[in-house]
Structures are given as structure tokens and as C-alpha cells.
Amino acid sequence: MTMRFGILGTGRITRRLVAEIQSCPETEVVCIASRQQERASWYAQQFGIAVGVTGYPTLLQRPDVDAVYIALPPALHLQWSLAAVEHGKHLLCEKPLVIDSGQAQQLAKACGETSRRWLDATGWLHHPRTASFTEAVNNGKLGHLRHISTAVSFFEPFQSQDHRLQADLGGGCLLDLAWYAVGLPIWLAGPPAAVYATAIYRQDVPYRVSGLLWFDDEVQATFSCGYDTSTRKWCEVAGTAGSVVCDDFTRTWPGKPQRYWIHDRTGTATVIEENGNQEQRMLRTFADLDHDLSRLQQQALCTQRTLDAISKSITMNARIDIPPLQRESACN
């Protein structure tokens, strides 16, 4: 059975996923909503969507919409996610899920009480390459895990009124690029036990953030993300016997092999290619009503909780310890 999507928002980030939804056999877009009818109609025409409507409530009231994809600024995610769930829709929400972990728990609870599916639209988690290097870490191919490094950045490709430069809309790289840079260490090592981070601010939003994460079993991670550095999207996962290196883990470089490397202790590198479309695999997972989403949902909740701790660390200029009970509650 095809899952029928409605789209809330017509920003640039909408375009890629709308095209993927339209080309995935398990999903289709039946309606798109904007605050302006002219914009909604233009998007509908451009992407072969049957209907473009004015106002998000109008879309949520449609009986032919099974699920919504929310592509609004982060500060609006909770409001319209809860509204979607109240109208009986499943929820696929652009990252970050919401603004903070309190909102994330509120949203997860609302979905649980109404038996609605929810997922953050973080494509790299669904790429077969991610499953492959995760297995390499988990099966001991790298020895004992010791250190993870990530870097995710791009250099100021902003349009006027970009929400990423507006603090009141949830702007800044912490709720944007750090979702990836911090998410990968969490995916591989679990919830961190402590964080420390620093930030450079512009226009009242964190423009560049760097930090250190401590995990159980003496695992550490470093991360860097920002809007004032050349495009980077790489990770290194190092153990006692070898390391995994991927230079484009968030999204493969256009026209390049979908690959990663395993380096052993002698410097010998093995190239491993795993091909796939991460957005379509994500959509298939979401549309399969029998597929258990709990592991992916725990990932989102832990990431949101960790970003809270990082924000606190930046404000206090201090290491922030996360007690075990808090770490456990953040992932459930």
C-alpha cells in the first residue's frame, strides 16, 4: 500500500526529498502547503504534485494524506508535528527533530499515545554503507573502539532571510550540522557520558562549534561543524587494530564512488563500496508499517539530548557530565 505524503514547507531543503518521495514506489506526494498560494502552486507544478494549498492546517485536514514531511525552520517543528499527529498523520520531520530534548520527549509521547510513526529525516543512517561500516565496528574488525572524529561544514551558501541565521527560528550550526557531526559518534558508541564544546557566534547564532565527547569504556570523540569552513563531511572511527575512514558520510560526493576505507595498523587500506539511495531506503523503512523504528528513534532522542548538553557547555564554558539515568531516559 502506498503511503501518501503531504509536505509542509517549500524551502530549498524540500526539493530533494519531494523528488525522492515521488520516485519511490512505496510513497507519493499528494499535496504541498505553503503560507502563500502562489508558492504552493509553483511547487506543485514543478514536482508533479496534484494539489498546492495555502496554510498548513488545510493540508492536515485532508483525508488523502497519510503522513507529513515537515521541512520548516526548527522552531516550528514541534507545533506542526503535534498538529500533524493530532490529525492522525504519521510524521517524517527534517532534522533537527525539534529544539531541545524536552520537546523531543513531548513529541515522542504524543506519537506513542496515538500510535503514529515518527522519524527524523536523517538520510545517512539508512545508506547501506553505514550498515557496512557499523558492522565493521561491532564485529571487532577494528579491535576495541577508542576514538571517533567527525567534521561537517560548508562555507556560507546563504540566501536572504535564511532561517539558519535567525536565532528565534532555531538557527545556527548546532541544531543543523552538529546533528550529523554528533550523531555519528552516538550511533557507534551510544549516549555520551560527558561533553565539552566551544563556539564562535555570528548574528547571535553558533556559526562554528567544536567539541569533545566522552563515552563509556574509555571511548572519546571530537567533532567540528560550521558555516565558515570549506565543505567537509568526513569521519574517522579508530580502534586498537584499525580504523574506518569515510570522506562523505552524510551524503556521497556527486559522481564519486559510494565508498569508505578500512586501514589496518600497517597502513594497508581496503576500499569498500556500498551503493544505494539513502533517501529512498529511508522512505521505504518509514512506509513499511511493520518495520520497527525504535532504534532510529532512540538515535534521534539521544542526539537531541546531547545537543542540549553541548549548548549548556558552550554557555558555561565547562565540561558537562551526563549522569547514567539521564542518558538512559534520553534514549527512551
Side-chain angles (χ1 to χ4, degrees):
M1 184 174 179
T2 301
M3 180 175 280
R4 301 167 297 177
F5 273 87
I7 310 297
L8 300 190
T10 52
R12 283 189 302 166
I13 199 167
T14 308
R15 301 176 187 179
R16 177 185 291 117
L17 197 60
V18 167
E20 297 292 357
I21 295 173
Q22 293 289 66
S23 61
C24 181
E26 292 84 356
T27 58
E28 65 174 318
V29 181
V30 298
C31 185
I32 187 166
S34 175
R35 291 174 297 177
Q36 301 173 341
Q37 182 60 50
E38 181 179 0
R39 190 170 177 85
S41 297
W42 183 88
Y43 261 81
Q45 182 180 13
Q46 290 293 311
F47 292 99
I49 302 170
V51 180
V53 299
T54 306
Y56 309 136
T58 303
L59 183 147
L60 296 180
Q61 293 166 9
R62 293 180 64 93
D64 60 346
V65 172
D66 305 312
V68 296
Y69 166 54
I70 294 182
L72 302 170
L76 301 178
H77 285 187
L78 181 66
Q79 173 189 352
W80 292 107
S81 293
L82 291 177
V85 172
E86 289 169 2
H87 283 81
K89 315 304 184 187
H90 301 298
L91 175 66
L92 181 64
C93 186
E94 191 53 56
K95 56 80 189 158
L97 184 64
V98 282
I99 292 295
D100 58 43
S101 60
Q103 290 189 359
Q105 294 289 345
Q106 183 182 351
L107 177 56
K109 180 180 179 182
C111 290
E113 290 174 346
T114 56
S115 299
R116 296 299 90 187
R117 293 170 71 78
W118 69 270
L119 192 64
D120 61 304
T122 305
W124 70 268
L125 289 167
H126 303 266
H127 200 290
R129 179 176 61 180
T130 301
S132 179
F133 68 63
T134 299
E135 176 61 20
V137 174
N138 291 340
N139 69 12
K141 186 171 290 187
L142 307 184
H144 296 291
L145 183 60
R146 286 292 178 256
H147 193 271
I148 303 169
S149 299
T150 60
V152 182
S153 62
F154 56 76
F155 188 76
E156 301 183 350
F158 298 118
Q159 297 179 339
S160 62
Q161 303 301 311
D162 195 307
H163 77 266
R164 289 172 294 187
L165 300 180
Q166 300 181 52
D168 61 337
L169 292 179
C173 68
L174 184 59
L175 286 175
D176 182 16
L177 303 182
W179 191 264
Y180 305 118
V182 172
L184 184 133
I186 291 172
W187 180 255
L188 296 175
V195 304
Y196 176 76
T198 62
I200 292 173
Y201 280 77
R202 295 184 189 172
Q203 298 181 220
D204 296 323
V205 301
Y207 215 75
R208 188 194 328 149
V209 176
S210 301
L212 177 62
L213 309 175
W214 288 266
F215 298 87
D216 293 335
D217 300 322
E218 299 183 337
V219 177
Q220 292 179 311
T222 54
F223 71 92
S224 171
C225 59
Y227 300 141
D228 62 354
T229 311
S230 177
T231 300
R232 301 173 299 160
K233 42 187 175 180
W234 62 261
C235 68
E236 180 197 45
V237 185
T240 55
S243 62
V244 161
V245 175
C246 183
D247 66 348
D248 56 358
F249 81 92
T250 64
R251 180 178 301 282
T252 55
W253 295 107
K256 300 294 184 181
Q258 301 179 19
R259 65 194 175 187
Y260 69 93
W261 293 262
I262 292 183
H263 295 253
D264 66 18
R265 284 184 289 196
T266 70
T268 301
T270 303
V271 181
I272 299 174
E273 290 192 27
E274 294 283 355
N275 296 312
N277 181 308
Q278 62 190 37
E279 277 74 29
Q280 290 207 13
R281 289 175 64 91
M282 175 181 70
L283 291 166
R284 290 190 181 101
T285 295
F286 184 71
D288 180 358
L289 300 182
D290 294 324
H291 191 105
D292 184 1
L293 299 177
S294 60
R295 172 70 175 89
L296 294 163
Q297 292 169 345
Q298 290 172 6
Q299 168 74 13
L301 295 174
C302 285
T303 302
Q304 198 86 63
R305 176 67 180 85
T306 302
L307 296 184
D308 284 2
I310 289 171
S311 179
K312 184 177 180 180
S313 175
I314 292 169
T315 300
M316 298 181 64
N317 189 27
R319 167 176 162 145
I320 302 299
D321 293 321
I322 305 174
L325 287 178
Q326 289 187 24
R327 283 183 270 156
E328 183 178 348
S329 65
C331 295
N332 294 289

